[in-house]
Amino acid sequence: MSWISMLTPVQWALFSLIPAGIILLYFLKLRREPVQIPSTFLWARTVEDLHVNSLFQRIRKNLLLFLQLLAILLAAFALLSPGFRGERSNFGRTIYLIDTSASMMADDVDDAENRFEAARKQIRERIDTMPSSDTAMLITFSDRSEVMQSYTGDRAKLRDALNRVQLTNRTTDIYGALKAADGLANPRRSSTMGDTADIQVADAMNADLVIYSDGGFPDVSEFNVGNLAPTYIRIGSDDVENVGIVAFTADRNIETPDEVKAYGTVVNYGKLAQSFTLSLYVNGQWRDSTGVQLDPGEESGISFPLTGQEDAASIEIRLENEDDLPYQDALPLDNVAYAGLRPMRTVSVLLITEGNRPMEVGMSTANAKKMSIVDVQPTSYLDSEEYAARASSGLDDLIVYDRCQPKDMPATNTFFIGALPSNEWEWTSDPGQVLLIDSDRTHPLMRYLELYSLLIFEGRSVKGPEGTQELLASDSGAVLSLAPREGFQDLVLAFEIISTDDEGNLLTNTNWFSERSWPVFLLNVLRHLAGAADESAAGTFRPGETVRLRVASELPEVDIARGSGTPETVMTGSNGFIQFVDTDAPGVYQVTSSEGDEQELVEMFCINLFSSLESNVKPRQNFDLGYEAIQAEGTTERRMEYWRWLLLIVLLVLAGEWWLYNHRIA
């Protein structure tokens, strides 16, 4: 049994005067005017009262007084809101974690609009029945976490914070929310472990951690619950059907840019076979449709060929039923996917070399010349003021350093051949013959490449900074790696194409330049690193991600809008980079610049969910949290309230008292 007071101490003090007043009324004698009438003598006890001159009378046994005091006592108990709650750990502190990710839009709950509203309803019930001595905190999580309300015992503040929580289109990452909860329950020490002067900066405080989610997030293995007592409230039904588009893109043919192929992947995450129509739309106009049937758990790749599409375009595919209406399942968000064909753009490439004929020839092919302007300079150019200005301003889209290294890294993407970008990189083997053993075929730089027949006479393996991707591996380690650098990318090839002997004569170090894969590789470099003209597929990002793009540096600002929506003006950096954060809504976003009264399309990007964790909306039964396996409890225990029954008894007592009073009078 637990009690939740509905009144403040001052209100209880005023309430306590009511029974005292009732008893006092029974002690007081009514003062009547003496009136002589014959019938008065028939009321002997009344006549006796008339002869008593004292203010108070001796209280007599009176059933009415007992019933009135009983009603007040029962009302007092009702105002204490008695109730019974199932067994649970209760430390007086509760941390509510509510999932606001895309999968919580699923409408497979009976008593609410969607899973999110069902979770919010349960939390609201917990807040309404929270003892006044308890405190609670509210944290939301999707791909990022937010503390909506820190610890408080004020139920009104908690309700207001809960009302401000918004459902999002984002993916799920619970780790940030767990770290926020962990910060209070498991305070850290002031210095590193093992220090004898280390002190505890705060006392550890136990807390109930109640997670309201469908479990659409990865296990969190590297987490210590410490003083947290986790409870997983599983939101959603097992009998849920959903078909989702998990991938979609459109790209031009390398040889014939007016030919476009759009392809995607659709997965049936439900328990039943599903039939539907997949329709393709270009710039909002229907272009093609195909029927699809998927068994439970089956996925299918779909492709649509397009011809005569030379201009930039917005492309989307939609799941529809036989009547060309939107397909109905638990999660409509993943029933539409977007792709885009970017506008044609010529990029600027600076090649710094002491002589690399294969590189210059590869950059001068018809396709390469169509998409890039290449400026070849000797290594002495690195010491010029002109180079310093170009490098610091990011004037070039790509700088290729052949067997040379700059003093400072430029504000653009780079490609190093036989050299290291900075001291964050290091050689991990001695020079020697290289035998290729593996490549990352999924990366755009390695697309359409067959490299196992290459001969490399001398090379080394290389190791980059944190976040480096190994694209090509040899028997001694990575020989082609790509690493991020403050918004830019650095590509390092660990062997030379052309080398020199002791006398300075040029020698070939590999037969790669004689292979068909060499010009294809250079085209991939131009497309991926420089953002070249026929890199037609618009970039795809997930909802909520910060989009970083590069436009012409001479543009002071650009306008960004989703579809035909209201554009948002974004200032362009000195090197042409822009950052856009308002990406919660899926769709095709167009980046335009103003020239007089006309708008010119300069770039585009797409926002898509593309998450199997979100599209697979069947709620998880359990997940790993540190060393514990957290089992779902289905729903939080509901507090059995008794105060309503007490008020009903109060009404019955008052009704009985009224009947007795009127019966005695009669």
Side-chain angles (χ1 to χ4, degrees):
M1 180 73 71
S2 60
W3 309 84
I4 301 175
S5 175
M6 296 184 182
L7 301 180
T8 64
V10 175
Q11 292 171 332
W12 275 114
L14 295 176
F15 182 84
S16 64
L17 298 177
I18 297 177
I22 293 174
I23 296 175
L24 184 61
L25 289 175
Y26 277 84
F27 275 103
L28 290 176
K29 182 178 76 71
L30 296 177
R31 300 179 63 88
R32 305 181 179 91
E33 291 290 333
V35 178
Q36 294 290 335
I37 57 174
S39 63
T40 302
F41 298 100
L42 299 176
W43 299 80
R45 296 179 62 180
T46 303
V47 173
E48 291 177 4
D49 287 342
L50 294 175
H51 292 290
V52 177
N53 296 322
S54 61
L55 178 63
F56 297 99
Q57 63 179 343
R58 180 181 179 184
I59 192 168
R60 302 181 180 91
K61 293 181 180 180
N62 195 311
L63 182 59
L64 296 180
L65 173 61
F66 172 76
L67 292 176
Q68 291 166 1
L69 293 179
L70 178 61
I72 293 299
L73 180 62
L74 291 174
F77 278 113
L79 290 173
L80 285 172
S81 186
F84 179 78
R85 189 185 302 238
E87 291 186 6
R88 67 181 181 94
S89 60
N90 189 349
F91 305 111
R93 298 181 181 87
T94 305
I95 303 174
Y96 298 112
L97 266 60
I98 180 171
D99 188 349
T100 60
S101 64
S103 61
M104 295 294 284
M105 295 181 186
D107 57 359
D108 59 330
V109 288
D110 296 332
D111 56 348
E113 177 184 349
N114 51 44
R115 293 178 178 180
F116 171 74
E117 292 298 337
R120 183 150 62 175
K121 179 181 179 181
Q122 292 190 31
I123 296 177
R124 186 178 292 111
E125 290 176 352
R126 287 285 296 263
I127 292 173
D128 290 341
T129 59
M130 185 179 74
S132 56
S133 59
D134 284 8
T135 59
M137 173 189 291
L138 179 64
I139 302 175
T140 66
F141 67 94
S142 52
D143 62 341
R144 66 201 68 176
S145 62
E146 182 179 1
V147 179
M148 301 298 296
Q149 175 62 55
S150 57
Y151 272 127
T152 181
D154 190 334
R155 292 193 290 270
K157 289 184 177 180
L158 289 168
R159 293 189 197 99
D160 179 66
L162 186 62
N163 291 334
R164 288 187 281 109
V165 176
Q166 298 294 324
L167 187 58
T168 71
N169 297 320
R170 301 178 179 180
T171 55
T172 316
D173 183 3
I174 197 175
Y175 185 72
L178 292 174
K179 292 297 291 183
D182 175 67
L184 182 66
N186 306 313
R188 299 299 182 259
R189 294 182 176 270
S190 62
S191 61
T192 58
M193 296 181 62
D195 189 347
T196 57
D198 189 17
I199 60 173
Q200 185 78 33
V201 296
D203 294 332
M205 293 181 287
N206 295 327
D208 290 307
L209 179 67
V210 189
I211 304 169
Y212 293 84
S213 174
D214 54 15
F217 49 81
D219 292 332
V220 185
S221 57
E222 297 181 1
F223 182 79
N224 182 14
V225 296
N227 296 300
L228 296 173
T231 301
Y232 170 36
I233 308 302
R234 182 172 177 260
I235 308 295
S237 169
D238 286 330
D239 298 324
V240 57
E241 298 295 325
N242 186 60
V243 176
I245 303 172
V246 297
F248 180 56
T249 188
D251 207 353
R252 300 185 188 275
N253 188 298
I254 295 179
E255 302 296 334
T256 53
D258 64 330
E259 294 182 3
V260 176
K261 190 173 185 179
Y263 44 92
T265 303
V266 186
V267 184
N268 179 10
Y269 291 101
K271 296 180 177 180
L272 303 175
Q274 301 292 335
S275 298
F276 52 88
T277 299
L278 194 62
S279 299
L280 178 75
Y281 293 81
V282 179
N283 294 328
Q285 302 296 319
W286 178 88
R287 292 289 294 270
D288 199 358
S289 293
T290 183
V292 182
Q293 183 170 355
L294 294 178
D295 292 330
E298 184 182 6
E299 70 175 56
S300 176
I302 308 296
S303 63
F304 293 95
L306 296 172
T307 58
Q309 194 66 50
E310 297 182 356
D311 298 330
S314 299
I315 304 176
E316 63 182 278
I317 53 174
R318 307 173 189 170
L319 299 185
E320 298 177 340
N321 58 26
E322 295 178 354
D323 299 325
D324 296 334
L325 296 176
Y327 183 75
Q328 299 296 322
D329 58 11
L331 187 64
L333 182 65
D334 60 5
N335 292 349
V336 182
Y338 303 90
L341 295 176
R342 300 163 65 186
M344 304 296 286
R345 186 172 77 91
T346 302
V347 297
S348 173
V349 178
L350 174 61
L351 171 60
I352 302 178
T353 179
E354 283 300 326
N356 192 330
R357 184 62 179 169
M359 192 75 183
E360 296 177 26
V361 171
M363 289 289 193
S364 62
T365 61
N367 286 331
K369 291 176 66 175
K370 183 176 61 178
M371 66 179 70
S372 65
I373 299 175
V374 181
D375 181 17
V376 182
Q377 297 289 344
T379 55
S380 58
Y381 184 68
L382 292 172
D383 300 323
S384 66
E385 295 182 359
E386 181 181 348
Y387 165 78
R390 293 175 69 167
S392 61
S393 65
L395 182 62
D396 298 291
D397 298 291
L398 174 68
I399 300 181
V400 181
Y401 298 93
D402 179 30
R403 295 165 292 159
C404 60
Q405 182 185 52
K407 296 179 181 178
D408 299 306
M409 293 298 291
T412 188
N413 295 337
T414 63
F415 177 26
F416 285 80
I417 302 175
L420 298 180
S422 64
N423 55 13
E424 292 184 345
W425 293 75
E426 61 178 335
W427 301 116
T428 57
S429 69
D430 295 328
Q433 188 172 2
V434 174
L435 178 63
L436 301 180
I437 59 175
D438 192 19
S439 66
D440 184 357
R441 293 175 177 268
T442 63
H443 198 278
L445 280 171
M446 308 303 292
R447 188 179 298 171
Y448 314 120
L449 299 184
E450 292 292 341
L451 303 175
Y452 298 113
S453 62
L454 297 189
L455 298 176
I456 304 172
F457 301 114
E458 184 176 278
R460 289 178 283 185
S461 59
V462 65
K463 180 181 179 181
E466 183 178 358
T468 299
Q469 294 178 267
E470 180 181 302
L471 304 181
L472 188 60
S474 71
D475 53 349
S476 61
V479 294
L480 182 64
S481 297
L482 181 69
R485 170 180 51 88
E486 298 179 354
F488 305 107
Q489 297 185 89
D490 299 321
L491 178 66
V492 176
L493 183 65
F495 58 89
E496 300 173 351
I497 305 299
I498 297 295
S499 60
T500 56
D501 58 17
D502 296 337
E503 298 179 357
N505 298 319
L506 296 179
L507 302 174
T508 57
N509 188 50
T510 176
N511 68 335
W512 193 3
F513 58 84
S514 63
E515 298 285 332
R516 297 177 59 182
S517 60
W518 174 247
V520 176
F521 171 70
L522 292 182
L523 290 178
N524 288 344
V525 169
L526 291 176
R527 295 187 190 102
H528 184 70
L529 284 183
D534 71 349
E535 170 63 300
S536 57
T540 293
F541 304 85
R542 286 178 173 172
E545 288 186 349
T546 298
V547 175
R548 184 179 175 89
L549 301 172
R550 187 175 186 180
V551 297
S553 58
E554 61 268 17
L555 296 176
E557 63 183 28
V558 294
D559 294 329
I560 302 179
R562 182 175 70 94
S564 59
T566 302
E568 177 180 341
T569 301
V570 179
M571 303 304 296
T572 305
S574 59
N575 55 4
F577 279 100
I578 58 175
Q579 287 188 345
F580 188 67
V581 298
D582 188 13
T583 60
D584 283 340
V588 178
Y589 289 69
Q590 297 183 343
V591 183
T592 58
S593 64
S594 300
E595 292 186 4
D597 296 332
E598 296 183 358
Q599 292 284 328
E600 179 185 359
L601 181 65
V602 296
E603 184 59 281
M604 62 171 38
F605 60 91
C606 304
I607 302 297
N608 289 291
L609 180 60
F610 289 170
S611 171
S612 58
L613 287 176
E614 301 300 320
S615 294
N616 187 3
V617 293
K618 180 181 179 180
R620 293 175 66 183
Q621 186 62 36
N622 57 73
F623 63 90
D624 292 338
L625 186 59
Y627 297 104
E628 299 185 23
I630 309 301
Q631 297 291 331
E633 295 191 3
T635 182
T636 183
E637 72 281 354
R638 298 192 63 175
R639 191 172 185 270
M640 301 299 296
E641 301 282 0
Y642 298 145
W643 63 269
R644 295 179 178 87
W645 294 102
L646 289 176
L647 286 181
L648 179 61
I649 297 174
V650 169
L651 292 177
L652 293 175
V653 170
L654 290 177
E657 191 271 345
W658 174 83
W659 184 86
L660 286 174
Y661 175 79
N662 285 277
H663 182 72
R664 291 181 58 180
I665 294 298

PDB file of all heavy atoms in Angstrom, residues 458-476:
ATOM      1  N   GLU A 458      57.799  -2.262 -56.368  1.00  0.00           N
ATOM      2  CA  GLU A 458      58.222  -1.793 -55.048  1.00  0.00           C
ATOM      3  C   GLU A 458      57.110  -0.960 -54.419  1.00  0.00           C
ATOM      4  O   GLU A 458      56.548  -0.074 -55.054  1.00  0.00           O
ATOM      5  CB  GLU A 458      59.499  -0.966 -55.142  1.00  0.00           C
ATOM      6  CG  GLU A 458      60.034  -0.548 -53.777  1.00  0.00           C
ATOM      7  CD  GLU A 458      61.351   0.190 -53.868  1.00  0.00           C
ATOM      8  OE1 GLU A 458      62.399  -0.490 -53.979  1.00  0.00           O
ATOM      9  OE2 GLU A 458      61.325   1.436 -53.854  1.00  0.00           O
ATOM     10  N   GLY A 459      56.789  -1.283 -53.199  1.00  0.00           N
ATOM     11  CA  GLY A 459      55.764  -0.542 -52.473  1.00  0.00           C
ATOM     12  C   GLY A 459      55.845  -0.844 -50.996  1.00  0.00           C
ATOM     13  O   GLY A 459      56.625  -1.691 -50.548  1.00  0.00           O
ATOM     14  N   ARG A 460      55.043  -0.136 -50.236  1.00  0.00           N
ATOM     15  CA  ARG A 460      54.992  -0.339 -48.783  1.00  0.00           C
ATOM     16  C   ARG A 460      53.542  -0.319 -48.317  1.00  0.00           C
ATOM     17  O   ARG A 460      52.655   0.145 -49.043  1.00  0.00           O
ATOM     18  CB  ARG A 460      55.787   0.752 -48.063  1.00  0.00           C
ATOM     19  CG  ARG A 460      57.284   0.647 -48.236  1.00  0.00           C
ATOM     20  CD  ARG A 460      58.014   1.782 -47.550  1.00  0.00           C
ATOM     21  NE  ARG A 460      57.937   3.024 -48.321  1.00  0.00           N
ATOM     22  CZ  ARG A 460      58.553   4.152 -48.006  1.00  0.00           C
ATOM     23  NH1 ARG A 460      59.288   4.203 -46.898  1.00  0.00           N
ATOM     24  NH2 ARG A 460      58.458   5.211 -48.772  1.00  0.00           N
ATOM     25  N   SER A 461      53.308  -0.816 -47.130  1.00  0.00           N
ATOM     26  CA  SER A 461      51.980  -0.717 -46.527  1.00  0.00           C
ATOM     27  C   SER A 461      51.899   0.567 -45.705  1.00  0.00           C
ATOM     28  O   SER A 461      52.916   1.095 -45.240  1.00  0.00           O
ATOM     29  CB  SER A 461      51.680  -1.938 -45.655  1.00  0.00           C
ATOM     30  OG  SER A 461      52.644  -2.071 -44.625  1.00  0.00           O
ATOM     31  N   VAL A 462      50.702   1.060 -45.537  1.00  0.00           N
ATOM     32  CA  VAL A 462      50.512   2.361 -44.901  1.00  0.00           C
ATOM     33  C   VAL A 462      49.426   2.253 -43.842  1.00  0.00           C
ATOM     34  O   VAL A 462      48.489   1.446 -43.943  1.00  0.00           O
ATOM     35  CB  VAL A 462      50.128   3.423 -45.966  1.00  0.00           C
ATOM     36  CG1 VAL A 462      48.775   3.115 -46.585  1.00  0.00           C
ATOM     37  CG2 VAL A 462      50.131   4.819 -45.364  1.00  0.00           C
ATOM     38  N   LYS A 463      49.557   3.074 -42.808  1.00  0.00           N
ATOM     39  CA  LYS A 463      48.560   3.152 -41.738  1.00  0.00           C
ATOM     40  C   LYS A 463      48.178   4.604 -41.533  1.00  0.00           C
ATOM     41  O   LYS A 463      49.044   5.470 -41.397  1.00  0.00           O
ATOM     42  CB  LYS A 463      49.115   2.567 -40.438  1.00  0.00           C
ATOM     43  CG  LYS A 463      48.135   2.622 -39.271  1.00  0.00           C
ATOM     44  CD  LYS A 463      48.756   2.048 -38.004  1.00  0.00           C
ATOM     45  CE  LYS A 463      47.788   2.127 -36.830  1.00  0.00           C
ATOM     46  NZ  LYS A 463      48.400   1.592 -35.586  1.00  0.00           N
ATOM     47  N   GLY A 464      46.865   4.881 -41.526  1.00  0.00           N
ATOM     48  CA  GLY A 464      46.379   6.244 -41.387  1.00  0.00           C
ATOM     49  C   GLY A 464      45.834   6.541 -40.011  1.00  0.00           C
ATOM     50  O   GLY A 464      45.870   5.697 -39.106  1.00  0.00           O
ATOM     51  N   PRO A 465      45.296   7.741 -39.813  1.00  0.00           N
ATOM     52  CA  PRO A 465      44.722   8.120 -38.520  1.00  0.00           C
ATOM     53  C   PRO A 465      43.423   7.381 -38.244  1.00  0.00           C
ATOM     54  O   PRO A 465      42.951   6.575 -39.065  1.00  0.00           O
ATOM     55  CB  PRO A 465      44.501   9.627 -38.668  1.00  0.00           C
ATOM     56  CG  PRO A 465      44.324   9.829 -40.135  1.00  0.00           C
ATOM     57  CD  PRO A 465      45.212   8.831 -40.804  1.00  0.00           C
ATOM     58  N   GLU A 466      42.835   7.663 -37.105  1.00  0.00           N
ATOM     59  CA  GLU A 466      41.588   7.011 -36.730  1.00  0.00           C
ATOM     60  C   GLU A 466      40.496   7.296 -37.763  1.00  0.00           C
ATOM     61  O   GLU A 466      40.338   8.422 -38.208  1.00  0.00           O
ATOM     62  CB  GLU A 466      41.135   7.504 -35.353  1.00  0.00           C
ATOM     63  CG  GLU A 466      39.890   6.828 -34.832  1.00  0.00           C
ATOM     64  CD  GLU A 466      39.506   7.298 -33.448  1.00  0.00           C
ATOM     65  OE1 GLU A 466      40.255   8.126 -32.882  1.00  0.00           O
ATOM     66  OE2 GLU A 466      38.469   6.856 -32.935  1.00  0.00           O
ATOM     67  N   GLY A 467      39.747   6.284 -38.121  1.00  0.00           N
ATOM     68  CA  GLY A 467      38.695   6.424 -39.116  1.00  0.00           C
ATOM     69  C   GLY A 467      39.127   6.096 -40.526  1.00  0.00           C
ATOM     70  O   GLY A 467      38.339   6.223 -41.468  1.00  0.00           O
ATOM     71  N   THR A 468      40.375   5.659 -40.723  1.00  0.00           N
ATOM     72  CA  THR A 468      40.880   5.344 -42.062  1.00  0.00           C
ATOM     73  C   THR A 468      40.224   4.070 -42.606  1.00  0.00           C
ATOM     74  O   THR A 468      40.092   3.079 -41.894  1.00  0.00           O
ATOM     75  CB  THR A 468      42.410   5.159 -42.021  1.00  0.00           C
ATOM     76  OG1 THR A 468      43.012   6.378 -41.586  1.00  0.00           O
ATOM     77  CG2 THR A 468      42.949   4.791 -43.392  1.00  0.00           C
ATOM     78  N   GLN A 469      39.840   4.101 -43.881  1.00  0.00           N
ATOM     79  CA  GLN A 469      39.268   2.939 -44.560  1.00  0.00           C
ATOM     80  C   GLN A 469      40.337   2.271 -45.423  1.00  0.00           C
ATOM     81  O   GLN A 469      41.017   2.936 -46.207  1.00  0.00           O
ATOM     82  CB  GLN A 469      38.091   3.349 -45.445  1.00  0.00           C
ATOM     83  CG  GLN A 469      36.882   3.867 -44.699  1.00  0.00           C
ATOM     84  CD  GLN A 469      35.793   4.280 -45.670  1.00  0.00           C
ATOM     85  OE1 GLN A 469      35.697   5.443 -46.059  1.00  0.00           O
ATOM     86  NE2 GLN A 469      34.954   3.334 -46.062  1.00  0.00           N
ATOM     87  N   GLU A 470      40.459   0.974 -45.283  1.00  0.00           N
ATOM     88  CA  GLU A 470      41.407   0.203 -46.093  1.00  0.00           C
ATOM     89  C   GLU A 470      40.693  -0.237 -47.364  1.00  0.00           C
ATOM     90  O   GLU A 470      39.776  -1.046 -47.325  1.00  0.00           O
ATOM     91  CB  GLU A 470      41.911  -0.997 -45.301  1.00  0.00           C
ATOM     92  CG  GLU A 470      42.908  -1.850 -46.061  1.00  0.00           C
ATOM     93  CD  GLU A 470      43.372  -3.046 -45.239  1.00  0.00           C
ATOM     94  OE1 GLU A 470      43.904  -2.833 -44.135  1.00  0.00           O
ATOM     95  OE2 GLU A 470      43.175  -4.181 -45.722  1.00  0.00           O
ATOM     96  N   LEU A 471      41.111   0.296 -48.512  1.00  0.00           N
ATOM     97  CA  LEU A 471      40.458   0.003 -49.781  1.00  0.00           C
ATOM     98  C   LEU A 471      41.150  -1.097 -50.568  1.00  0.00           C
ATOM     99  O   LEU A 471      40.510  -1.827 -51.315  1.00  0.00           O
ATOM    100  CB  LEU A 471      40.390   1.274 -50.641  1.00  0.00           C
ATOM    101  CG  LEU A 471      39.698   2.488 -50.001  1.00  0.00           C
ATOM    102  CD1 LEU A 471      39.679   3.651 -50.980  1.00  0.00           C
ATOM    103  CD2 LEU A 471      38.296   2.127 -49.554  1.00  0.00           C
ATOM    104  N   LEU A 472      42.450  -1.213 -50.428  1.00  0.00           N
ATOM    105  CA  LEU A 472      43.214  -2.211 -51.173  1.00  0.00           C
ATOM    106  C   LEU A 472      44.289  -2.771 -50.248  1.00  0.00           C
ATOM    107  O   LEU A 472      45.069  -2.005 -49.668  1.00  0.00           O
ATOM    108  CB  LEU A 472      43.849  -1.583 -52.414  1.00  0.00           C
ATOM    109  CG  LEU A 472      44.538  -2.522 -53.406  1.00  0.00           C
ATOM    110  CD1 LEU A 472      43.554  -3.540 -53.962  1.00  0.00           C
ATOM    111  CD2 LEU A 472      45.160  -1.715 -54.551  1.00  0.00           C
ATOM    112  N   ALA A 473      44.312  -4.089 -50.092  1.00  0.00           N
ATOM    113  CA  ALA A 473      45.237  -4.738 -49.162  1.00  0.00           C
ATOM    114  C   ALA A 473      46.221  -5.617 -49.906  1.00  0.00           C
ATOM    115  O   ALA A 473      45.892  -6.212 -50.938  1.00  0.00           O
ATOM    116  CB  ALA A 473      44.464  -5.573 -48.141  1.00  0.00           C
ATOM    117  N   SER A 474      47.428  -5.682 -49.363  1.00  0.00           N
ATOM    118  CA  SER A 474      48.475  -6.532 -49.915  1.00  0.00           C
ATOM    119  C   SER A 474      48.923  -7.528 -48.859  1.00  0.00           C
ATOM    120  O   SER A 474      48.393  -7.552 -47.748  1.00  0.00           O
ATOM    121  CB  SER A 474      49.670  -5.682 -50.363  1.00  0.00           C
ATOM    122  OG  SER A 474      50.351  -5.163 -49.235  1.00  0.00           O
ATOM    123  N   ASP A 475      49.914  -8.345 -49.207  1.00  0.00           N
ATOM    124  CA  ASP A 475      50.425  -9.321 -48.259  1.00  0.00           C
ATOM    125  C   ASP A 475      51.146  -8.679 -47.089  1.00  0.00           C
ATOM    126  O   ASP A 475      51.346  -9.314 -46.048  1.00  0.00           O
ATOM    127  CB  ASP A 475      51.347 -10.310 -48.963  1.00  0.00           C
ATOM    128  CG  ASP A 475      52.454  -9.594 -49.744  1.00  0.00           C
ATOM    129  OD1 ASP A 475      52.363  -8.365 -49.899  1.00  0.00           O
ATOM    130  OD2 ASP A 475      53.391 -10.277 -50.197  1.00  0.00           O
ATOM    131  N   SER A 476      51.503  -7.387 -47.201  1.00  0.00           N
ATOM    132  CA  SER A 476      52.187  -6.698 -46.101  1.00  0.00           C
ATOM    133  C   SER A 476      51.304  -5.686 -45.394  1.00  0.00           C
ATOM    134  O   SER A 476      51.717  -5.104 -44.393  1.00  0.00           O
ATOM    135  CB  SER A 476      53.446  -5.999 -46.631  1.00  0.00           C
ATOM    136  OG  SER A 476      53.096  -5.028 -47.611  1.00  0.00           O
TER     137      SER A 476
END
